[in-house]
Protein backbone atom coordinates (compact mmCIF):
# COMPACT_ATOMS: atom_id res chain seq x y z
CA UNK A 1 0.00 0.00 0.00
CA UNK A 2 1.38 3.40 -1.05
CA UNK A 3 1.62 6.21 1.45
CA UNK A 4 2.62 9.87 1.37
CA UNK A 5 6.40 10.23 1.40
CA UNK A 6 7.88 12.44 4.11
CA UNK A 7 11.24 13.97 4.95
CA UNK A 8 11.91 14.55 8.66
CA UNK A 9 14.69 16.65 10.19
CA UNK A 10 15.16 16.12 13.93
CA UNK A 11 16.34 18.92 16.26
CA UNK A 12 19.73 17.52 17.24
CA UNK A 13 21.66 20.78 17.74
CA UNK A 14 24.91 20.69 15.72
CA UNK A 15 24.53 17.23 14.23
CA UNK A 16 22.51 15.31 11.66
CA UNK A 17 19.57 12.93 12.01
CA UNK A 18 17.16 12.75 9.09
CA UNK A 19 14.43 10.23 8.35
CA UNK A 20 13.04 9.61 4.87
CA UNK A 21 9.73 7.74 4.71
CA UNK A 22 9.23 6.61 1.12
CA UNK A 23 5.92 6.36 -0.68
CA UNK A 24 6.44 2.59 -0.54
CA UNK A 25 6.50 2.76 3.27
CA UNK A 26 10.20 1.98 3.59
CA UNK A 27 12.37 4.12 5.85
CA UNK A 28 15.89 5.50 5.39
CA UNK A 29 17.59 7.05 8.43
CA UNK A 30 20.58 9.27 7.69
CA UNK A 31 22.91 9.60 10.68
CA UNK A 32 22.12 9.49 14.40
CA UNK A 33 22.71 12.13 17.07
CA UNK A 34 20.82 11.23 20.25
CA UNK A 35 22.05 13.31 23.18
CA UNK A 36 21.98 11.67 26.59
CA UNK A 37 20.75 14.86 28.25
CA UNK A 38 17.29 14.16 26.86
CA UNK A 39 16.99 11.23 29.30
CA UNK A 40 16.55 13.79 32.08
CA UNK A 41 12.90 14.91 32.10
CA UNK A 42 13.98 18.22 33.63
CA UNK A 43 16.42 18.92 30.81
CA UNK A 44 15.09 20.91 27.79
CA UNK A 45 17.09 18.85 25.28
CA UNK A 46 14.61 17.49 22.69
CA UNK A 47 13.97 13.76 23.05
CA UNK A 48 14.72 12.83 19.45
CA UNK A 49 14.90 9.12 20.29
CA UNK A 50 11.23 9.24 21.26
CA UNK A 51 10.40 11.37 18.21
CA UNK A 52 12.08 8.80 15.95
CA UNK A 53 10.50 5.78 17.62
CA UNK A 54 7.05 7.33 17.24
CA UNK A 55 7.56 7.40 13.48
CA UNK A 56 8.74 3.80 13.07
CA UNK A 57 6.77 0.60 12.57
CA UNK A 58 7.26 -2.83 14.12
CA UNK A 59 7.90 -5.99 12.12
CA UNK A 60 6.15 -9.33 12.58
CA UNK A 61 8.56 -10.12 15.43
CA UNK A 62 7.60 -6.95 17.27
CA UNK A 63 10.87 -5.13 16.56
CA UNK A 64 10.92 -1.40 15.81
CA UNK A 65 12.99 -1.07 12.64
CA UNK A 66 14.46 1.11 9.94
CA UNK A 67 14.88 -0.36 6.48
CA UNK A 68 18.17 1.50 6.02
CA UNK A 69 20.67 3.30 8.23
CA UNK A 70 23.19 5.45 6.35
CA UNK A 71 26.20 6.81 8.21
CA UNK A 72 27.60 9.67 6.11
CA UNK A 73 30.87 9.75 8.09
CA UNK A 74 32.07 8.69 11.54
CA UNK A 75 32.07 11.98 13.49
CA UNK A 76 30.40 11.65 16.89
CA UNK A 77 27.65 14.15 16.08
CA UNK A 78 26.53 11.80 13.30
CA UNK A 79 26.50 8.55 15.29
CA UNK A 80 26.10 9.57 18.95
CA UNK A 81 24.47 6.84 21.11
CA UNK A 82 24.07 4.49 18.17
CA UNK A 83 24.93 1.46 20.32
CA UNK A 84 22.49 2.48 23.04
CA UNK A 85 19.46 2.81 20.79
CA UNK A 86 20.09 0.45 17.85
CA UNK A 87 20.74 -3.27 17.67
CA UNK A 88 24.18 -4.10 16.30
CA UNK A 89 25.28 -7.66 15.64
CA UNK A 90 23.62 -10.79 14.31
CA UNK A 91 19.80 -10.70 14.16
CA UNK A 92 19.87 -13.87 16.29
CA UNK A 93 21.22 -11.87 19.22
CA UNK A 94 18.38 -9.31 19.24
CA UNK A 95 17.02 -8.85 22.77
CA UNK A 96 13.30 -8.07 22.95
CA UNK A 97 13.53 -6.70 26.47
CA UNK A 98 16.00 -4.00 25.34
CA UNK A 99 13.61 -2.99 22.53
CA UNK A 100 16.36 -1.42 20.45
CA UNK A 101 15.73 -0.32 16.86
CA UNK A 102 16.49 -3.08 14.37
CA UNK A 103 18.53 -2.10 11.27
CA UNK A 104 17.53 -4.15 8.24
CA UNK A 105 20.24 -2.74 5.95
CA UNK A 106 23.30 -0.51 6.37
CA UNK A 107 24.70 1.89 3.80
CA UNK A 108 28.37 2.54 4.48
CA UNK A 109 31.51 3.84 2.77
CA UNK A 110 34.87 2.19 3.52
CA UNK A 111 36.68 5.13 1.90
CA UNK A 112 35.08 7.62 4.29
CA UNK A 113 36.25 5.55 7.26
CA UNK A 114 39.72 5.18 5.75
CA UNK A 115 40.09 8.94 5.27
CA UNK A 116 38.74 9.60 8.76
CA UNK A 117 41.27 7.24 10.34
CA UNK A 118 44.12 8.92 8.48
CA UNK A 119 43.02 12.36 9.65
CA UNK A 120 42.56 11.21 13.24
CA UNK A 121 45.95 9.53 13.27
CA UNK A 122 47.49 12.79 12.10
CA UNK A 123 45.96 14.54 15.12
CA UNK A 124 46.53 11.60 17.52
CA UNK A 125 42.81 10.95 17.99
CA UNK A 126 40.68 7.82 17.60
CA UNK A 127 37.20 7.11 16.33
CA UNK A 128 34.51 7.42 18.98
CA UNK A 129 33.06 4.18 20.36
CA UNK A 130 29.83 4.46 18.36
CA UNK A 131 31.76 4.93 15.12
CA UNK A 132 33.94 1.94 15.92
CA UNK A 133 30.82 -0.13 16.67
CA UNK A 134 29.25 0.88 13.35
CA UNK A 135 32.42 0.00 11.47
CA UNK A 136 32.57 -3.40 13.18
CA UNK A 137 28.95 -4.03 12.21
CA UNK A 138 29.57 -3.00 8.60
CA UNK A 139 32.52 -5.40 8.41
CA UNK A 140 30.39 -8.20 9.91
CA UNK A 141 27.76 -7.69 7.23
CA UNK A 142 30.32 -7.65 4.41
CA UNK A 143 31.75 -10.92 5.76
CA UNK A 144 28.23 -12.36 5.84
CA UNK A 145 27.74 -11.46 2.17
CA UNK A 146 31.08 -12.95 1.17
CA UNK A 147 30.27 -16.21 2.94
CA UNK A 148 26.61 -16.55 1.92
CA UNK A 149 26.13 -14.57 -1.27
CA UNK A 150 23.32 -12.13 -1.98
CA UNK A 151 20.52 -14.69 -1.74
CA UNK A 152 21.77 -15.96 1.60
CA UNK A 153 21.65 -12.60 3.38
CA UNK A 154 18.43 -11.44 5.06
CA UNK A 155 17.11 -8.60 7.20
CA UNK A 156 19.66 -7.46 9.75
CA UNK A 157 22.61 -8.74 7.73
CA UNK A 158 22.28 -6.62 4.57
CA UNK A 159 24.68 -3.87 3.51
CA UNK A 160 25.23 -1.66 0.48
CA UNK A 161 28.69 -0.21 -0.01
CA UNK A 162 28.69 3.47 -1.02
CA UNK A 163 31.71 3.92 -3.26
CA UNK A 164 34.77 1.81 -4.05
CA UNK A 165 37.59 1.33 -1.57
CA UNK A 166 41.22 1.76 -2.55
CA UNK A 167 43.56 -0.90 -3.92
CA UNK A 168 40.74 -3.15 -5.17
CA UNK A 169 39.45 -3.99 -1.69
CA UNK A 170 35.82 -3.88 -2.88
CA UNK A 171 36.31 -5.52 -6.28
CA UNK A 172 34.54 -8.70 -5.18
CA UNK A 173 31.51 -6.83 -3.79
CA UNK A 174 29.92 -5.86 -7.09
CA UNK A 175 26.44 -7.07 -6.15
CA UNK A 176 26.31 -4.80 -3.10
CA UNK A 177 28.54 -1.99 -4.38
CA UNK A 178 27.32 1.37 -5.68
CA UNK A 179 30.04 3.26 -7.53
CA UNK A 180 30.27 7.03 -7.31
CA UNK A 181 28.13 8.49 -10.09
CA UNK A 182 25.76 5.52 -10.17
CA UNK A 183 22.20 5.28 -8.90
CA UNK A 184 21.05 3.56 -5.72
CA UNK A 185 17.83 1.79 -6.69
CA UNK A 186 17.51 -0.87 -3.99
CA UNK A 187 16.26 -0.43 -0.44
CA UNK A 188 16.80 -3.36 1.91
CA UNK A 189 17.63 -5.80 -0.85
CA UNK A 190 14.89 -5.03 -3.37
CA UNK A 191 14.16 -2.43 -6.02
CA UNK A 192 11.98 0.42 -4.80
CA UNK A 193 10.15 2.39 -7.50
CA UNK A 194 9.43 5.25 -5.11
CA UNK A 195 13.01 6.55 -5.09
CA UNK A 196 16.41 6.65 -6.68
CA UNK A 197 19.52 8.23 -5.21
CA UNK A 198 22.61 9.25 -7.13
CA UNK A 199 25.87 8.70 -5.26
CA UNK A 200 28.04 11.81 -5.65
CA UNK A 201 30.56 11.20 -2.90
CA UNK A 202 32.89 10.33 -1.34
CA UNK A 203 34.69 11.93 -4.28
CA UNK A 204 37.30 9.79 -5.98
CA UNK A 205 40.81 9.45 -4.60
CA UNK A 206 43.09 12.30 -5.61
CA UNK A 207 46.22 11.53 -7.59
CA UNK A 208 48.69 12.93 -5.08
CA UNK A 209 49.01 12.19 -1.39
CA UNK A 210 48.99 15.92 -0.66
CA UNK A 211 45.65 16.40 -2.43
CA UNK A 212 44.21 13.28 -0.82
CA UNK A 213 45.25 14.50 2.63
CA UNK A 214 43.60 17.87 1.92
CA UNK A 215 40.44 16.05 0.88
CA UNK A 216 40.45 13.97 4.05
CA UNK A 217 40.69 17.12 6.13
CA UNK A 218 37.68 18.46 4.20
CA UNK A 219 35.35 16.04 5.93
CA UNK A 220 34.95 13.29 3.36
CA UNK A 221 31.33 12.16 3.51
CA UNK A 222 28.79 10.10 1.63
CA UNK A 223 26.89 12.51 -0.64
CA UNK A 224 23.52 11.50 -2.11
CA UNK A 225 20.97 13.30 -4.25
CA UNK A 226 17.63 11.57 -3.76
CA UNK A 227 14.70 11.67 -6.18
CA UNK A 228 11.63 10.99 -4.08
CA UNK A 229 8.49 9.96 -5.93
CA UNK A 230 4.93 10.98 -5.20
CA UNK A 231 1.94 9.71 -7.19
CA UNK A 232 2.90 10.20 -10.87
CA UNK A 233 5.86 12.51 -10.27
CA UNK A 234 9.11 10.54 -10.15
CA UNK A 235 11.05 13.59 -8.95
CA UNK A 236 8.50 15.29 -6.72
CA UNK A 237 11.31 16.12 -4.30
CA UNK A 238 14.99 16.22 -5.01
CA UNK A 239 16.88 16.07 -1.73
CA UNK A 240 20.63 16.69 -1.48
CA UNK A 241 22.44 15.55 1.67
CA UNK A 242 26.19 15.54 2.22
CA UNK A 243 27.22 15.05 5.84
CA UNK A 244 30.09 17.39 6.67
CA UNK A 245 31.52 17.79 3.16
CA UNK A 246 33.58 20.97 3.04
CA UNK A 247 34.77 23.38 0.40
CA UNK A 248 37.35 21.25 -1.49
CA UNK A 249 34.71 18.56 -1.96
CA UNK A 250 32.16 21.00 -3.42
CA UNK A 251 34.76 22.55 -5.70
CA UNK A 252 35.66 19.09 -6.97
CA UNK A 253 31.98 18.22 -7.50
CA UNK A 254 31.40 21.34 -9.58
CA UNK A 255 34.48 20.69 -11.70
CA UNK A 256 33.26 17.14 -12.34
CA UNK A 257 29.56 17.88 -12.86
CA UNK A 258 29.24 21.41 -14.25
CA UNK A 259 28.25 19.95 -17.62
CA UNK A 260 25.27 18.17 -16.02
CA UNK A 261 24.41 20.37 -13.03
CA UNK A 262 21.05 18.63 -12.72
CA UNK A 263 22.91 15.96 -10.71
CA UNK A 264 23.29 18.58 -7.96
CA UNK A 265 19.79 20.00 -8.34
CA UNK A 266 17.54 20.04 -5.29
CA UNK A 267 14.21 21.06 -3.81
CA UNK A 268 15.58 20.55 -0.30
CA UNK A 269 19.24 20.94 0.62
CA UNK A 270 20.57 19.89 4.00
CA UNK A 271 23.40 22.38 4.48
CA UNK A 272 26.71 20.53 4.79
CA UNK A 273 28.48 20.61 8.14
CA UNK A 274 25.69 22.33 10.05
CA UNK A 275 25.79 25.63 8.17
CA UNK A 276 29.56 25.86 8.40
CA UNK A 277 31.48 28.57 6.57
CA UNK A 278 34.06 25.88 5.75
CA UNK A 279 31.73 24.37 3.15
CA UNK A 280 31.71 27.64 1.22
CA UNK A 281 35.20 29.06 1.65
CA UNK A 282 38.87 28.36 2.29
CA UNK A 283 39.20 31.70 4.05
CA UNK A 284 39.01 31.84 7.83
CA UNK A 285 35.85 33.57 8.99
CA UNK A 286 37.32 34.05 12.46
CA UNK A 287 40.42 35.82 11.12
CA UNK A 288 39.04 37.68 8.09
CA UNK A 289 35.40 38.27 8.96
CA UNK A 290 33.60 40.10 6.15
CA UNK A 291 36.77 40.05 4.07
CA UNK A 292 36.52 36.26 3.73
CA UNK A 293 35.52 35.25 0.21
CA UNK A 294 33.11 32.58 -0.96
CA UNK A 295 34.52 29.93 -3.31
CA UNK A 296 32.90 30.44 -6.71
CA UNK A 297 32.88 26.73 -7.55
CA UNK A 298 31.62 25.61 -4.14
CA UNK A 299 28.77 28.12 -4.28
CA UNK A 300 27.80 27.00 -7.77
CA UNK A 301 27.69 23.39 -6.62
CA UNK A 302 25.49 24.32 -3.66
CA UNK A 303 23.17 26.67 -5.55
CA UNK A 304 21.55 24.27 -8.02
CA UNK A 305 18.16 24.94 -6.46
CA UNK A 306 14.83 24.41 -8.17
CA UNK A 307 12.07 27.00 -7.87
CA UNK A 308 10.89 27.40 -4.26
CA UNK A 309 13.72 25.30 -2.81
CA UNK A 310 14.10 25.03 0.96
CA UNK A 311 17.59 25.02 2.51
CA UNK A 312 17.66 23.35 5.92
CA UNK A 313 20.49 23.84 8.42
CA UNK A 314 20.69 21.04 10.99
CA UNK A 315 22.22 23.03 13.82
CA UNK A 316 21.61 25.06 16.95
CA UNK A 317 19.99 28.51 16.64
CA UNK A 318 22.24 30.72 14.54
CA UNK A 319 23.67 33.86 16.09
CA UNK A 320 26.20 36.45 14.93
CA UNK A 321 28.19 35.69 18.09
CA UNK A 322 28.50 31.96 17.37
CA UNK A 323 31.66 30.14 16.51
CA UNK A 324 31.66 28.14 13.29
CA UNK A 325 29.53 26.04 12.88
CA UNK A 326 26.97 27.43 12.52
CA UNK A 327 28.17 30.62 10.91
CA UNK A 328 25.99 33.68 10.39
CA UNK A 329 27.81 34.47 7.13
CA UNK A 330 27.09 30.98 5.79
CA UNK A 331 23.44 31.43 6.74
CA UNK A 332 23.33 34.69 4.81
CA UNK A 333 24.87 33.03 1.76
CA UNK A 334 22.31 30.21 1.85
CA UNK A 335 19.52 32.75 2.31
CA UNK A 336 20.77 34.52 -0.82
CA UNK A 337 20.79 31.23 -2.74
CA UNK A 338 17.23 30.50 -1.63
CA UNK A 339 16.08 34.02 -2.50
CA UNK A 340 17.32 33.57 -6.07
CA UNK A 341 14.65 30.88 -6.57
CA UNK A 342 11.95 32.37 -4.31
CA UNK A 343 12.79 29.76 -1.70
CA UNK A 344 13.52 29.84 2.02
CA UNK A 345 16.14 28.99 4.65
CA UNK A 346 15.26 27.13 7.86
CA UNK A 347 17.17 26.03 10.95
CA UNK A 348 16.18 22.91 12.90
CA UNK A 349 17.20 24.54 16.20
CA UNK A 350 14.74 27.36 15.59
CA UNK A 351 11.76 25.32 14.39
CA UNK A 352 9.03 25.94 15.28
CA UNK A 353 10.65 28.06 18.02
CA UNK A 354 14.11 28.37 19.56
CA UNK A 355 12.78 27.45 23.01
CA UNK A 356 10.83 24.38 21.87
CA UNK A 357 12.34 22.86 18.70
CA UNK A 358 10.62 19.82 17.23
CA UNK A 359 10.71 17.65 14.12
CA UNK A 360 10.63 19.57 10.84
CA UNK A 361 8.51 17.37 8.59
CA UNK A 362 7.93 17.82 4.87
CA UNK A 363 5.22 15.87 3.07
CA UNK A 364 6.06 15.04 -0.54
CA UNK A 365 3.01 15.69 -2.72
CA UNK A 366 2.71 15.49 -6.49
CA UNK A 367 3.63 19.19 -6.77
CA UNK A 368 6.60 19.02 -4.42
CA UNK A 369 7.42 19.08 -0.70
CA UNK A 370 5.23 21.00 1.74
CA UNK A 371 6.18 21.80 5.31
CA UNK A 372 3.61 19.86 7.28
CA UNK A 373 2.86 22.58 9.83
CA UNK A 374 1.69 24.78 6.96
CA UNK A 375 -0.71 22.15 5.62
CA UNK A 376 -3.40 23.32 8.02
CA UNK A 377 -3.79 26.64 6.26
CA UNK A 378 -4.88 27.71 2.80
CA UNK A 379 -2.52 26.11 0.28
CA UNK A 380 -3.93 27.96 -2.71
CA UNK A 381 -1.42 30.76 -2.14
CA UNK A 382 2.30 30.12 -2.16
CA UNK A 383 4.20 30.63 1.10
CA UNK A 384 7.77 29.89 2.31
CA UNK A 385 8.39 26.19 2.73
CA UNK A 386 5.78 25.18 0.15
CA UNK A 387 7.06 24.24 -3.28
CA UNK A 388 4.60 24.16 -6.15
CA UNK A 389 5.29 22.97 -9.68
CA UNK A 390 3.62 20.88 -12.31
CA UNK A 391 3.95 17.10 -11.87
CA UNK A 392 6.39 15.28 -14.10
CA UNK A 393 6.33 11.63 -15.05
CA UNK A 394 10.13 11.58 -15.32
CA UNK A 395 12.72 13.35 -13.15
Amino acid sequence: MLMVATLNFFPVDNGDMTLIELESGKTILIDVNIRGAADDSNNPTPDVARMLRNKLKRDFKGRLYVDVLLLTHPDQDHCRNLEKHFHLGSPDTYCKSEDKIFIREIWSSPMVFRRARRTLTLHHLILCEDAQAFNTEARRRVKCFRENGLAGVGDGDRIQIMGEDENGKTDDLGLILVKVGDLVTKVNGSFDSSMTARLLGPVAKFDSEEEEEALAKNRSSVILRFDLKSVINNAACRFLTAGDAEVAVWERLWIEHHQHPDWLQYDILQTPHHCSWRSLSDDSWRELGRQAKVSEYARKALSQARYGAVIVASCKPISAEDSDPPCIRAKQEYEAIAKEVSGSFKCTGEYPTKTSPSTMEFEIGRYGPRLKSLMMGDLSSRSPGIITRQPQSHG
Side-chain angles (χ1 to χ4, degrees):
M1 178 180 178
L2 294 179
M3 57 181 288
V4 176
T6 65
L7 183 55
N8 306 269
F9 298 92
F10 296 96
V12 294
D13 202 71
N14 281 6
D16 281 357
M17 184 165 158
T18 307
L19 179 69
I20 303 173
E21 299 177 274
L22 299 174
E23 189 183 56
S24 65
K26 290 183 178 179
T27 52
I28 301 171
L29 181 63
I30 304 172
D31 293 331
V32 174
N33 189 33
I34 300 175
R35 290 171 287 167
D39 296 337
D40 181 356
S41 59
N42 296 317
N43 191 293
T45 300
D47 188 355
V48 296
R50 177 184 56 80
M51 295 176 188
L52 173 63
R53 292 174 70 89
N54 286 343
K55 290 184 174 294
L56 301 181
K57 300 182 290 288
R58 293 187 181 271
D59 62 17
F60 71 98
K61 293 185 177 181
R63 302 173 298 196
L64 277 176
Y65 69 90
V66 291
D67 288 285
V68 170
L69 172 63
L70 162 66
L71 183 66
T72 60
H73 66 292
D75 281 1
Q76 188 175 44
D77 56 352
H78 291 254
C79 61
R80 183 178 278 110
N81 277 319
L82 175 69
E83 279 192 287
K84 179 178 179 180
H85 293 276
F86 292 81
H87 173 72
L88 303 177
S90 169
D92 295 336
T93 64
Y94 183 87
C95 178
K96 288 185 178 180
S97 63
E98 293 181 346
D99 199 28
K100 291 184 179 181
I101 299 171
F102 186 73
I103 307 167
R104 288 179 164 179
E105 179 174 80
I106 276 176
W107 293 359
S108 177
S109 167
M111 182 57 75
V112 164
F113 269 89
R114 194 172 302 285
R115 284 174 174 157
R117 283 195 296 270
R118 285 172 180 163
T119 303
L120 291 169
T121 299
L122 182 67
H123 296 282
H124 308 291
L125 300 172
I126 60 174
L127 292 176
C128 69
E129 290 184 4
D130 284 302
Q132 293 181 53
F134 180 92
N135 196 29
T136 297
E137 175 65 4
R139 290 174 178 273
R140 183 193 70 81
R141 293 185 182 217
V142 169
K143 183 174 183 289
C144 189
F145 166 77
R146 282 178 166 140
E147 292 176 348
N148 300 286
L150 194 62
V153 177
D155 288 355
D157 288 326
R158 293 194 179 96
I159 186 169
Q160 283 198 81
I161 303 299
M162 299 290 113
E164 297 172 280
D165 200 356
E166 63 184 21
N167 300 324
K169 292 183 175 67
T170 50
D171 287 356
D172 65 329
L173 302 179
L175 293 176
I176 58 170
L177 174 68
V178 180
K179 296 182 179 181
V180 173
D182 289 349
L183 292 175
V184 182
T185 58
K186 289 184 176 182
V187 180
N188 189 32
S190 62
F191 289 99
D192 193 311
S193 62
S194 61
M195 73 115 244
T196 58
R198 189 174 298 278
L199 183 66
L200 299 172
V203 296
K205 191 175 188 295
F206 277 4
D207 294 333
S208 72
E209 286 300 321
E210 182 179 351
E211 289 176 309
E212 177 64 15
E213 182 177 317
L215 190 63
K217 290 179 181 178
N218 265 267
R219 307 276 182 167
S220 189
S221 297
V222 174
I223 304 171
L224 286 167
R225 206 292 305 280
F226 287 88
D227 279 356
L228 304 178
K229 178 183 176 183
S230 179
V231 195
I232 63 170
N233 190 347
N234 288 342
C237 177
R238 287 183 165 169
F239 170 49
L240 179 59
T241 182
D244 282 0
E246 292 186 344
V247 61
V249 174
W250 294 107
E251 289 172 339
R252 174 77 171 265
L253 285 174
W254 185 249
I255 290 169
E256 292 182 349
H257 303 309
H258 69 277
Q259 292 184 326
H260 44 86
D262 57 297
W263 281 22
L264 293 162
Q265 198 175 60
Y266 59 84
D267 298 297
I268 298 179
L269 166 69
Q270 187 166 13
T271 64
H273 203 185
H274 326 303
C275 202
S276 170
W277 176 247
R278 287 297 186 185
S279 293
L280 290 162
S281 177
D282 278 315
D283 290 348
S284 169
W285 172 253
R286 180 180 299 176
E287 295 176 5
L288 298 177
R290 292 289 170 180
Q291 300 302 313
K293 295 181 179 180
V294 173
S295 162
E296 177 186 0
Y297 283 1
R299 192 188 192 280
K300 284 183 176 179
L302 287 163
S303 62
Q304 300 306 305
R306 296 210 286 185
Y307 178 76
V310 182
I311 298 178
V312 178
S314 183
C315 62
K316 63 183 181 180
I318 303 170
S319 166
E321 288 73 39
D322 274 334
S323 57
D324 182 21
C327 177
I328 189 68
R329 180 65 180 85
K331 173 187 176 180
Q332 292 166 352
E333 199 64 40
Y334 287 121
E335 286 178 324
I337 291 170
K339 186 177 181 180
E340 291 167 6
V341 293
S342 299
S344 60
F345 174 91
K346 298 185 182 298
C347 169
T348 58
E350 302 172 3
Y351 181 84
T353 66
K354 293 180 181 179
T355 55
S356 186
S358 189
T359 307
M360 186 185 297
E361 180 174 352
F362 293 86
E363 289 191 345
I364 314 301
R366 65 188 297 181
Y367 298 107
R370 302 170 185 257
L371 188 59
K372 190 172 181 180
S373 63
L374 299 178
M375 300 276 296
M376 303 298 293
D378 179 13
L379 297 181
S380 61
S381 62
R382 197 185 175 286
S383 57
I386 301 180
I387 301 172
T388 57
R389 68 174 65 86
Q390 292 300 312
Q392 304 171 358
S393 58
H394 299 285

